[in-house]
Amino acid sequence: MADTSKSVSIRITGKVQGVFYRASTQEQAQRLHLTGFVRNEKDGSVYVEVSGPAEAVDSLVAWCRQGPPRARVEEVVVTPLEATPTYAGFQVRR
């Protein structure tokens, strides 16, 4: 059975800015061979869009629930994306 592709957005709230959350997310996504981006939001949350094999996307979502060591994740909201965006690699956006 072939692994299907999946694209989701993820919004992470809690103490997730200033704790290397974006860089750590990029590292995890690259290790899982996923594409997309991560950025800080004005409200203090972190926003991620990610695409790739469903199992790898699910692994990144699971990692986001913990985050890097100094993060204090309160909530992770995952929303399926209608269309599969095309990204070149996985980037940290400002």
Side-chain angles (χ1 to χ4, degrees), residues 14 16 30 42 52 54 57 79 84 91 93:
V16 293
Q30 289 172 338
K42 287 181 173 52
V57 170
T79 307
T84 302
Q91 284 135 12
R93 292 191 180 168

Side-chain angles (χ1 to χ4, degrees), residues 2-3 8-9 18-19 24 29 34 41 48 50 52 56 59 61-64 69 71 73-77 85-86 93:
D3 198 351
V8 300
S9 69
V19 294
S24 300
L34 296 170
E41 297 290 284
V48 180
V50 62
S59 292
V61 169
W63 180 87
C64 285
V73 176
E74 286 172 14
E75 187 179 27
V76 174
V77 178
T86 306
R93 292 191 180 168

Side-chain angles (χ1 to χ4, degrees), residues 12 20-39 46-50 60 63-64 67-68 88-94:
I12 305 103
F20 300 103
Y21 203 103
R22 289 179 302 161
S24 300
T25 301
Q26 180 184 41
E27 212 172 86
Q28 291 295 322
Q30 289 172 338
R31 185 177 306 141
L32 293 163
H33 306 288
L34 296 170
T35 60
F37 68 88
V38 58
R39 70 176 180 230
V46 169
Y47 178 80
V48 180
E49 279 190 14
V50 62
L60 184 69
W63 180 87
C64 285
F90 193 93
Q91 284 135 12
V92 172
R93 292 191 180 168
R94 304 275 171 242

